[in-house]
Amino acid sequence: MYYVNPYIRDCVRVFPEQGRYGQMRYDMNENPEGLPEEFVDSVRKEITPEFLSTYPEPDPFLEKYAAFVGMKKENLCATNGSDMAIRFIMETFSREGGEIVTVAPSFEMYWVNCSMLGRRHVPVQLNGDFTVPVEKLLEAVTEKADIVAILNPNNPVGKGYSLEDGRRLAKKARECGAILLVDEAYHYFQKESLLSLTGEFDNVVVLRTFSKLFSLASLRLGVAVSNPELITYLKKSTPSFEVNAVALLFGERILEHPDMIEELIRKAAEGKAYAVEALREKGYEVFPEAGNFIFVRPRKEISCLKEELHRRGVLVKSYGNDLLKDYLRISTGSRQAMERYIEEFLKAEEA
Ligand SMILES: Cc1ncc(COP(=O)(O)O)c(C=O)c1O
């Protein structure tokens, strides 16, 4: 009989739904519409046979991203989506049985990676009003912790962290010999970033992704930002060619278009504000969270409504946990994307 790593064998996975192309996708916090077509066409022209036959070189992208965040490329490690950065960070900076402290509910890959790697997940429940329990989080960080992972802002619910709370968490983590991982997948949709903590503390790493605002979920591009020493360790844990050349090319070209980035941010804010107001006007309870998503409490029973929406080609996310079981999470996009959503949602409520 062959050997199977018991942690992998016993890990419970639910893989993402297939057949989402052509559907109205409000379920995974992608940009429902994507980047401007003319931009995509112009970058596509650069993909030649030589380009495809050459192993990827991340440096030009890293130089541009470094300038974008005001750092050096030695502060950065590009990964195959921030998903892989989470894995590499856990493999590099935590030991078997070591504690990984997170808020709960949180992005599922934190507990999935704990389960796959045999780490001990320490979940700290969000407050009933969806605020982040910073004091409880601080208490949960002990000498047994290897990593404290926070999402700024939290997903699925919860706002971001103030710089001062970030500092307190980084300090406590350092006292306990732990890394503070700050996942900023959704930071473009709010004001504050904790990126500056990577310069203040030697144990902080910040993750960014190109899957959300930058609309490249298909290409898998994430960036870990930290001090050069921590990044050197992280890089050692990656394969030689971790990120593909098409992702690096699109990432580089996006960063060369600050006007397009501004427009993406503007459109996202406009669409979200419209959706919140339109749903509230219809008497719905809405929680506009800090990321590119909102929570709505429908009148219809959740699973029936979800099925009805699905029948209409509209994908949304629901949750089984007590805190969120009565709500739908809806990814937000441009005003046009949200008009389309609300029209279908109201019809589905009445069907
Ligand atoms: C908080 C958070 N972190 C990380 C990710 C992973 O993003 P990706 O692997 O596409 O970069 C997601 C995806 O939804 C997320 O919500």
Side-chain angles (χ1 to χ4, degrees):
M1 192 51 186
Y2 51 80
Y3 170 79
V4 183
N5 177 329
Y7 295 126
I8 304 278
R9 183 193 61 211
D10 299 339
C11 179
V12 178
R13 298 292 305 269
V14 179
F15 290 102
E17 197 179 321
Q18 303 290 286
R20 297 171 67 253
Y21 287 105
Q23 308 284 307
M24 294 178 251
R25 298 172 306 281
Y26 300 92
D27 54 337
M28 291 180 77
N29 300 341
E30 300 149 332
N31 176 350
E33 291 167 318
L35 293 167
E37 193 117 23
E38 57 284 8
F39 170 78
V40 173
D41 283 345
S42 73
V43 183
R44 211 159 37 190
K45 290 202 181 86
E46 295 186 55
I47 303 172
T48 61
E50 185 199 5
F51 181 87
L52 289 177
S53 67
T54 309
Y55 280 112
E57 296 185 0
D59 279 9
F61 164 76
L62 291 174
E63 299 281 5
K64 291 256 159 65
Y65 198 80
F68 182 68
V69 291
M71 297 205 180
K72 297 212 165 73
K73 82 171 163 38
E74 290 68 30
N75 294 106
L76 309 175
C77 175
T79 57
N80 190 34
S82 49
D83 236 3
M84 279 313 290
I86 296 169
R87 169 93 61 90
F88 296 140
I89 289 168
M90 282 202 198
E91 281 176 342
T92 309
F93 301 109
S94 68
R95 66 207 95 189
E96 201 176 344
E99 289 189 355
I100 314 289
V101 181
T102 78
V103 160
S106 178
F107 178 48
E108 65 184 20
M109 289 313 290
Y110 286 95
W111 62 259
V112 170
N113 274 298
C114 284
S115 156
M116 280 195 300
L117 299 171
R119 278 36 170 180
R120 216 173 90 70
H121 185 208
V122 179
V124 177
Q125 295 303 315
L126 276 182
N127 296 323
D129 61 358
F130 298 167
T131 52
V132 174
V134 178
E135 302 304 326
K136 281 194 259 166
L137 208 47
L138 283 162
E139 272 169 37
V141 183
T142 69
E143 297 289 331
K144 292 187 211 142
D146 283 332
I147 297 176
V148 183
I150 60 172
L151 276 52
N152 183 46
N154 197 53
N155 168 31
V157 271
K159 303 282 187 268
Y161 294 75
S162 68
L163 201 52
E164 205 33 53
D165 282 341
R167 273 193 194 109
R168 291 169 72 205
L169 286 161
K171 192 161 169 285
K172 181 74 191 282
R174 192 166 60 181
E175 282 163 14
C176 296
I179 294 282
L180 176 67
L181 186 168
V182 184
D183 182 336
E184 293 205 334
Y186 300 100
H187 90 98
Y188 292 105
F189 305 102
Q190 63 164 21
K191 285 192 190 78
E192 290 243 59
S193 163
L194 298 186
L195 198 66
S196 61
L197 294 183
T198 61
E200 276 183 57
F201 295 86
D202 60 4
N203 63 328
V204 176
V205 54
V206 172
L207 300 187
R208 297 282 180 84
T209 177
F210 277 64
S211 300
K212 306 300 174 188
L213 180 80
F214 291 155
S215 318
L216 291 185
S218 67
L219 291 179
R220 319 300 304 123
L221 180 57
V223 186
V225 186
S226 188
N227 60 73
E229 186 177 314
L230 198 149
I231 290 294
T232 303
Y233 294 132
L234 202 53
K235 275 190 178 156
K236 287 191 194 188
S237 72
T238 65
S240 307
F241 303 104
E242 164 65 6
V243 182
N244 73 78
V246 179
L248 293 166
L249 176 68
F250 268 92
E252 201 187 330
R253 295 293 169 262
I254 287 175
L255 297 171
E256 287 166 358
H257 287 79
D259 291 356
M260 186 173 77
I261 298 175
E262 281 304 307
E263 184 59 7
L264 286 168
I265 294 173
R266 191 196 64 74
K267 276 174 101 167
E270 181 188 54
K272 184 167 159 185
Y274 164 79
V276 171
E277 205 180 304
L279 287 164
R280 282 185 178 157
E281 249 173 40
K282 296 280 178 194
Y284 285 100
E285 186 188 354
V286 183
F287 293 99
E289 294 310 310
N292 60 337
F293 45 88
I294 57 178
F295 277 80
V296 183
R297 188 183 189 129
R299 302 196 177 107
K300 211 175 192 150
E301 197 271 318
I302 294 278
S303 59
C304 293
L305 179 63
K306 218 176 141 184
E307 221 168 276
E308 184 57 37
L309 283 166
H310 209 291
R311 228 174 42 74
R312 294 167 179 274
V314 179
L315 309 179
V316 292
K317 171 112 174 140
S318 60
Y319 292 84
N321 64 57
D322 277 353
L323 194 65
L324 302 174
K325 66 181 176 9
D326 298 327
Y327 297 87
L328 285 183
R329 189 191 71 184
I330 300 148
S331 309
T332 54
S334 70
R335 177 173 175 140
Q336 206 180 6
M338 298 327 291
E339 280 172 353
R340 207 164 56 149
Y341 173 76
I342 288 170
E343 191 184 326
E344 295 299 334
F345 171 76
L346 295 176
K347 281 191 206 151
E349 278 274 74
E350 272 156 35

PDB file of all heavy atoms in Angstrom, residues 314-339:
ATOM      1  N   VAL A 314     -27.788  33.724 -12.190  1.00  0.00           N
ATOM      2  CA  VAL A 314     -27.156  34.656 -11.250  1.00  0.00           C
ATOM      3  C   VAL A 314     -26.545  33.866 -10.098  1.00  0.00           C
ATOM      4  O   VAL A 314     -27.258  33.140  -9.390  1.00  0.00           O
ATOM      5  CB  VAL A 314     -28.193  35.669 -10.686  1.00  0.00           C
ATOM      6  CG1 VAL A 314     -27.529  36.618  -9.700  1.00  0.00           C
ATOM      7  CG2 VAL A 314     -28.851  36.436 -11.815  1.00  0.00           C
ATOM      8  N   LEU A 315     -25.237  34.001  -9.919  1.00  0.00           N
ATOM      9  CA  LEU A 315     -24.557  33.249  -8.860  1.00  0.00           C
ATOM     10  C   LEU A 315     -24.278  34.153  -7.666  1.00  0.00           C
ATOM     11  O   LEU A 315     -23.750  35.256  -7.825  1.00  0.00           O
ATOM     12  CB  LEU A 315     -23.239  32.682  -9.396  1.00  0.00           C
ATOM     13  CG  LEU A 315     -23.315  31.893 -10.708  1.00  0.00           C
ATOM     14  CD1 LEU A 315     -21.926  31.414 -11.125  1.00  0.00           C
ATOM     15  CD2 LEU A 315     -24.260  30.709 -10.572  1.00  0.00           C
ATOM     16  N   VAL A 316     -24.648  33.679  -6.463  1.00  0.00           N
ATOM     17  CA  VAL A 316     -24.394  34.436  -5.228  1.00  0.00           C
ATOM     18  C   VAL A 316     -23.873  33.466  -4.181  1.00  0.00           C
ATOM     19  O   VAL A 316     -23.921  32.252  -4.377  1.00  0.00           O
ATOM     20  CB  VAL A 316     -25.677  35.125  -4.697  1.00  0.00           C
ATOM     21  CG1 VAL A 316     -26.142  36.230  -5.620  1.00  0.00           C
ATOM     22  CG2 VAL A 316     -26.793  34.106  -4.477  1.00  0.00           C
ATOM     23  N   LYS A 317     -23.417  34.012  -3.070  1.00  0.00           N
ATOM     24  CA  LYS A 317     -22.829  33.150  -2.028  1.00  0.00           C
ATOM     25  C   LYS A 317     -23.684  33.189  -0.762  1.00  0.00           C
ATOM     26  O   LYS A 317     -24.169  34.250  -0.367  1.00  0.00           O
ATOM     27  CB  LYS A 317     -21.414  33.675  -1.742  1.00  0.00           C
ATOM     28  CG  LYS A 317     -20.737  33.065  -0.567  1.00  0.00           C
ATOM     29  CD  LYS A 317     -19.580  32.213  -0.978  1.00  0.00           C
ATOM     30  CE  LYS A 317     -18.815  31.711   0.248  1.00  0.00           C
ATOM     31  NZ  LYS A 317     -18.390  30.349   0.131  1.00  0.00           N
ATOM     32  N   SER A 318     -23.869  32.006  -0.140  1.00  0.00           N
ATOM     33  CA  SER A 318     -24.540  31.981   1.163  1.00  0.00           C
ATOM     34  C   SER A 318     -23.655  31.213   2.134  1.00  0.00           C
ATOM     35  O   SER A 318     -22.691  30.567   1.726  1.00  0.00           O
ATOM     36  CB  SER A 318     -25.911  31.317   1.047  1.00  0.00           C
ATOM     37  OG  SER A 318     -25.758  29.991   0.596  1.00  0.00           O
ATOM     38  N   TYR A 319     -23.982  31.272   3.404  1.00  0.00           N
ATOM     39  CA  TYR A 319     -23.139  30.668   4.442  1.00  0.00           C
ATOM     40  C   TYR A 319     -23.971  29.787   5.373  1.00  0.00           C
ATOM     41  O   TYR A 319     -25.149  30.074   5.606  1.00  0.00           O
ATOM     42  CB  TYR A 319     -22.477  31.767   5.288  1.00  0.00           C
ATOM     43  CG  TYR A 319     -21.452  32.552   4.511  1.00  0.00           C
ATOM     44  CD1 TYR A 319     -21.835  33.619   3.710  1.00  0.00           C
ATOM     45  CD2 TYR A 319     -20.115  32.218   4.553  1.00  0.00           C
ATOM     46  CE1 TYR A 319     -20.900  34.340   2.980  1.00  0.00           C
ATOM     47  CE2 TYR A 319     -19.169  32.922   3.831  1.00  0.00           C
ATOM     48  CZ  TYR A 319     -19.575  33.977   3.052  1.00  0.00           C
ATOM     49  OH  TYR A 319     -18.649  34.660   2.327  1.00  0.00           O
ATOM     50  N   GLY A 320     -23.318  28.770   5.939  1.00  0.00           N
ATOM     51  CA  GLY A 320     -24.019  27.879   6.861  1.00  0.00           C
ATOM     52  C   GLY A 320     -23.895  28.331   8.305  1.00  0.00           C
ATOM     53  O   GLY A 320     -24.700  27.946   9.150  1.00  0.00           O
ATOM     54  N   ASN A 321     -22.916  29.191   8.635  1.00  0.00           N
ATOM     55  CA  ASN A 321     -22.701  29.501  10.054  1.00  0.00           C
ATOM     56  C   ASN A 321     -23.799  30.416  10.617  1.00  0.00           C
ATOM     57  O   ASN A 321     -24.469  31.143   9.878  1.00  0.00           O
ATOM     58  CB  ASN A 321     -21.294  30.097  10.273  1.00  0.00           C
ATOM     59  CG  ASN A 321     -21.110  31.424   9.567  1.00  0.00           C
ATOM     60  OD1 ASN A 321     -21.867  32.356   9.800  1.00  0.00           O
ATOM     61  ND2 ASN A 321     -20.125  31.505   8.677  1.00  0.00           N
ATOM     62  N   ASP A 322     -23.956  30.362  11.958  1.00  0.00           N
ATOM     63  CA  ASP A 322     -25.057  31.056  12.637  1.00  0.00           C
ATOM     64  C   ASP A 322     -25.074  32.554  12.362  1.00  0.00           C
ATOM     65  O   ASP A 322     -26.130  33.159  12.176  1.00  0.00           O
ATOM     66  CB  ASP A 322     -24.953  30.842  14.155  1.00  0.00           C
ATOM     67  CG  ASP A 322     -25.568  29.502  14.535  1.00  0.00           C
ATOM     68  OD1 ASP A 322     -26.176  28.860  13.640  1.00  0.00           O
ATOM     69  OD2 ASP A 322     -25.413  29.095  15.702  1.00  0.00           O
ATOM     70  N   LEU A 323     -23.892  33.136  12.307  1.00  0.00           N
ATOM     71  CA  LEU A 323     -23.779  34.586  12.146  1.00  0.00           C
ATOM     72  C   LEU A 323     -24.355  35.050  10.799  1.00  0.00           C
ATOM     73  O   LEU A 323     -24.970  36.106  10.707  1.00  0.00           O
ATOM     74  CB  LEU A 323     -22.282  34.963  12.231  1.00  0.00           C
ATOM     75  CG  LEU A 323     -21.906  36.416  12.406  1.00  0.00           C
ATOM     76  CD1 LEU A 323     -22.392  36.936  13.742  1.00  0.00           C
ATOM     77  CD2 LEU A 323     -20.384  36.574  12.300  1.00  0.00           C
ATOM     78  N   LEU A 324     -24.172  34.235   9.749  1.00  0.00           N
ATOM     79  CA  LEU A 324     -24.464  34.706   8.387  1.00  0.00           C
ATOM     80  C   LEU A 324     -25.536  33.901   7.655  1.00  0.00           C
ATOM     81  O   LEU A 324     -25.801  34.168   6.488  1.00  0.00           O
ATOM     82  CB  LEU A 324     -23.168  34.686   7.555  1.00  0.00           C
ATOM     83  CG  LEU A 324     -22.010  35.511   8.095  1.00  0.00           C
ATOM     84  CD1 LEU A 324     -20.755  35.279   7.272  1.00  0.00           C
ATOM     85  CD2 LEU A 324     -22.361  36.990   8.077  1.00  0.00           C
ATOM     86  N   LYS A 325     -26.137  32.933   8.353  1.00  0.00           N
ATOM     87  CA  LYS A 325     -27.016  31.999   7.629  1.00  0.00           C
ATOM     88  C   LYS A 325     -28.257  32.655   7.000  1.00  0.00           C
ATOM     89  O   LYS A 325     -28.844  32.101   6.077  1.00  0.00           O
ATOM     90  CB  LYS A 325     -27.405  30.814   8.506  1.00  0.00           C
ATOM     91  CG  LYS A 325     -28.271  31.186   9.693  1.00  0.00           C
ATOM     92  CD  LYS A 325     -28.582  29.952  10.494  1.00  0.00           C
ATOM     93  CE  LYS A 325     -29.354  30.187  11.759  1.00  0.00           C
ATOM     94  NZ  LYS A 325     -29.924  31.470  12.066  1.00  0.00           N
ATOM     95  N   ASP A 326     -28.635  33.851   7.480  1.00  0.00           N
ATOM     96  CA  ASP A 326     -29.832  34.508   6.942  1.00  0.00           C
ATOM     97  C   ASP A 326     -29.511  35.512   5.837  1.00  0.00           C
ATOM     98  O   ASP A 326     -30.386  36.255   5.391  1.00  0.00           O
ATOM     99  CB  ASP A 326     -30.576  35.243   8.068  1.00  0.00           C
ATOM    100  CG  ASP A 326     -31.036  34.260   9.132  1.00  0.00           C
ATOM    101  OD1 ASP A 326     -31.365  33.113   8.763  1.00  0.00           O
ATOM    102  OD2 ASP A 326     -31.044  34.635  10.321  1.00  0.00           O
ATOM    103  N   TYR A 327     -28.252  35.554   5.400  1.00  0.00           N
ATOM    104  CA  TYR A 327     -27.851  36.585   4.442  1.00  0.00           C
ATOM    105  C   TYR A 327     -27.291  35.990   3.152  1.00  0.00           C
ATOM    106  O   TYR A 327     -26.769  34.877   3.153  1.00  0.00           O
ATOM    107  CB  TYR A 327     -26.749  37.473   5.053  1.00  0.00           C
ATOM    108  CG  TYR A 327     -27.209  38.234   6.259  1.00  0.00           C
ATOM    109  CD1 TYR A 327     -27.139  37.658   7.534  1.00  0.00           C
ATOM    110  CD2 TYR A 327     -27.723  39.518   6.139  1.00  0.00           C
ATOM    111  CE1 TYR A 327     -27.566  38.359   8.655  1.00  0.00           C
ATOM    112  CE2 TYR A 327     -28.152  40.220   7.249  1.00  0.00           C
ATOM    113  CZ  TYR A 327     -28.069  39.637   8.505  1.00  0.00           C
ATOM    114  OH  TYR A 327     -28.495  40.332   9.607  1.00  0.00           O
ATOM    115  N   LEU A 328     -27.372  36.791   2.097  1.00  0.00           N
ATOM    116  CA  LEU A 328     -26.645  36.472   0.865  1.00  0.00           C
ATOM    117  C   LEU A 328     -25.465  37.421   0.784  1.00  0.00           C
ATOM    118  O   LEU A 328     -25.609  38.608   1.112  1.00  0.00           O
ATOM    119  CB  LEU A 328     -27.513  36.739  -0.368  1.00  0.00           C
ATOM    120  CG  LEU A 328     -28.633  35.782  -0.727  1.00  0.00           C
ATOM    121  CD1 LEU A 328     -29.280  36.247  -2.033  1.00  0.00           C
ATOM    122  CD2 LEU A 328     -28.111  34.353  -0.886  1.00  0.00           C
ATOM    123  N   ARG A 329     -24.312  36.903   0.345  1.00  0.00           N
ATOM    124  CA  ARG A 329     -23.207  37.815   0.039  1.00  0.00           C
ATOM    125  C   ARG A 329     -23.207  38.039  -1.466  1.00  0.00           C
ATOM    126  O   ARG A 329     -23.245  37.077  -2.240  1.00  0.00           O
ATOM    127  CB  ARG A 329     -21.859  37.245   0.481  1.00  0.00           C
ATOM    128  CG  ARG A 329     -20.742  38.287   0.355  1.00  0.00           C
ATOM    129  CD  ARG A 329     -19.362  37.714   0.526  1.00  0.00           C
ATOM    130  NE  ARG A 329     -19.001  36.887  -0.617  1.00  0.00           N
ATOM    131  CZ  ARG A 329     -17.877  36.187  -0.707  1.00  0.00           C
ATOM    132  NH1 ARG A 329     -17.013  36.227   0.299  1.00  0.00           N
ATOM    133  NH2 ARG A 329     -17.616  35.458  -1.758  1.00  0.00           N
ATOM    134  N   ILE A 330     -23.158  39.295  -1.839  1.00  0.00           N
ATOM    135  CA  ILE A 330     -23.182  39.646  -3.264  1.00  0.00           C
ATOM    136  C   ILE A 330     -21.929  40.441  -3.595  1.00  0.00           C
ATOM    137  O   ILE A 330     -21.668  41.484  -2.979  1.00  0.00           O
ATOM    138  CB  ILE A 330     -24.422  40.514  -3.573  1.00  0.00           C
ATOM    139  CG1 ILE A 330     -25.687  39.735  -3.224  1.00  0.00           C
ATOM    140  CG2 ILE A 330     -24.446  40.947  -5.025  1.00  0.00           C
ATOM    141  CD1 ILE A 330     -26.783  40.623  -2.757  1.00  0.00           C
ATOM    142  N   SER A 331     -21.160  39.948  -4.541  1.00  0.00           N
ATOM    143  CA  SER A 331     -19.993  40.713  -4.987  1.00  0.00           C
ATOM    144  C   SER A 331     -20.505  41.938  -5.721  1.00  0.00           C
ATOM    145  O   SER A 331     -21.504  41.865  -6.428  1.00  0.00           O
ATOM    146  CB  SER A 331     -19.149  39.903  -5.966  1.00  0.00           C
ATOM    147  OG  SER A 331     -18.864  38.639  -5.435  1.00  0.00           O
ATOM    148  N   THR A 332     -19.803  43.059  -5.553  1.00  0.00           N
ATOM    149  CA  THR A 332     -20.250  44.276  -6.227  1.00  0.00           C
ATOM    150  C   THR A 332     -19.333  44.605  -7.399  1.00  0.00           C
ATOM    151  O   THR A 332     -18.169  44.205  -7.423  1.00  0.00           O
ATOM    152  CB  THR A 332     -20.315  45.466  -5.243  1.00  0.00           C
ATOM    153  OG1 THR A 332     -19.054  45.589  -4.591  1.00  0.00           O
ATOM    154  CG2 THR A 332     -21.402  45.258  -4.215  1.00  0.00           C
ATOM    155  N   GLY A 333     -19.903  45.329  -8.366  1.00  0.00           N
ATOM    156  CA  GLY A 333     -19.137  45.759  -9.537  1.00  0.00           C
ATOM    157  C   GLY A 333     -19.626  47.128  -9.959  1.00  0.00           C
ATOM    158  O   GLY A 333     -20.080  47.912  -9.115  1.00  0.00           O
ATOM    159  N   SER A 334     -19.590  47.409 -11.240  1.00  0.00           N
ATOM    160  CA  SER A 334     -20.010  48.721 -11.739  1.00  0.00           C
ATOM    161  C   SER A 334     -21.512  48.923 -11.488  1.00  0.00           C
ATOM    162  O   SER A 334     -22.239  47.971 -11.191  1.00  0.00           O
ATOM    163  CB  SER A 334     -19.761  48.799 -13.236  1.00  0.00           C
ATOM    164  OG  SER A 334     -20.678  47.930 -13.892  1.00  0.00           O
ATOM    165  N   ARG A 335     -21.960  50.156 -11.676  1.00  0.00           N
ATOM    166  CA  ARG A 335     -23.388  50.448 -11.497  1.00  0.00           C
ATOM    167  C   ARG A 335     -24.227  49.569 -12.431  1.00  0.00           C
ATOM    168  O   ARG A 335     -25.259  49.024 -12.032  1.00  0.00           O
ATOM    169  CB  ARG A 335     -23.641  51.932 -11.781  1.00  0.00           C
ATOM    170  CG  ARG A 335     -25.110  52.230 -11.669  1.00  0.00           C
ATOM    171  CD  ARG A 335     -25.424  53.678 -11.769  1.00  0.00           C
ATOM    172  NE  ARG A 335     -26.888  53.773 -11.775  1.00  0.00           N
ATOM    173  CZ  ARG A 335     -27.577  54.679 -11.149  1.00  0.00           C
ATOM    174  NH1 ARG A 335     -26.965  55.586 -10.452  1.00  0.00           N
ATOM    175  NH2 ARG A 335     -28.886  54.692 -11.209  1.00  0.00           N
ATOM    176  N   GLN A 336     -23.752  49.426 -13.661  1.00  0.00           N
ATOM    177  CA  GLN A 336     -24.486  48.613 -14.636  1.00  0.00           C
ATOM    178  C   GLN A 336     -24.613  47.156 -14.154  1.00  0.00           C
ATOM    179  O   GLN A 336     -25.685  46.551 -14.233  1.00  0.00           O
ATOM    180  CB  GLN A 336     -23.719  48.641 -15.946  1.00  0.00           C
ATOM    181  CG  GLN A 336     -24.561  48.425 -17.142  1.00  0.00           C
ATOM    182  CD  GLN A 336     -23.695  48.483 -18.408  1.00  0.00           C
ATOM    183  OE1 GLN A 336     -22.472  48.570 -18.342  1.00  0.00           O
ATOM    184  NE2 GLN A 336     -24.327  48.404 -19.551  1.00  0.00           N
ATOM    185  N   ALA A 337     -23.504  46.628 -13.622  1.00  0.00           N
ATOM    186  CA  ALA A 337     -23.517  45.246 -13.124  1.00  0.00           C
ATOM    187  C   ALA A 337     -24.495  45.112 -11.963  1.00  0.00           C
ATOM    188  O   ALA A 337     -25.182  44.094 -11.819  1.00  0.00           O
ATOM    189  CB  ALA A 337     -22.112  44.830 -12.688  1.00  0.00           C
ATOM    190  N   MET A 338     -24.594  46.160 -11.140  1.00  0.00           N
ATOM    191  CA  MET A 338     -25.462  46.080  -9.971  1.00  0.00           C
ATOM    192  C   MET A 338     -26.932  46.287 -10.346  1.00  0.00           C
ATOM    193  O   MET A 338     -27.828  45.713  -9.736  1.00  0.00           O
ATOM    194  CB  MET A 338     -25.026  47.098  -8.890  1.00  0.00           C
ATOM    195  CG  MET A 338     -23.625  46.870  -8.351  1.00  0.00           C
ATOM    196  SD  MET A 338     -23.087  45.138  -8.269  1.00  0.00           S
ATOM    197  CE  MET A 338     -24.125  44.468  -6.985  1.00  0.00           C
ATOM    198  N   GLU A 339     -27.172  47.081 -11.387  1.00  0.00           N
ATOM    199  CA  GLU A 339     -28.557  47.238 -11.873  1.00  0.00           C
ATOM    200  C   GLU A 339     -29.079  45.886 -12.345  1.00  0.00           C
ATOM    201  O   GLU A 339     -30.206  45.501 -12.060  1.00  0.00           O
ATOM    202  CB  GLU A 339     -28.601  48.251 -13.029  1.00  0.00           C
ATOM    203  CG  GLU A 339     -28.583  49.676 -12.536  1.00  0.00           C
ATOM    204  CD  GLU A 339     -28.427  50.709 -13.647  1.00  0.00           C
ATOM    205  OE1 GLU A 339     -28.204  50.330 -14.827  1.00  0.00           O
ATOM    206  OE2 GLU A 339     -28.499  51.896 -13.328  1.00  0.00           O
TER     207      GLU A 339
END
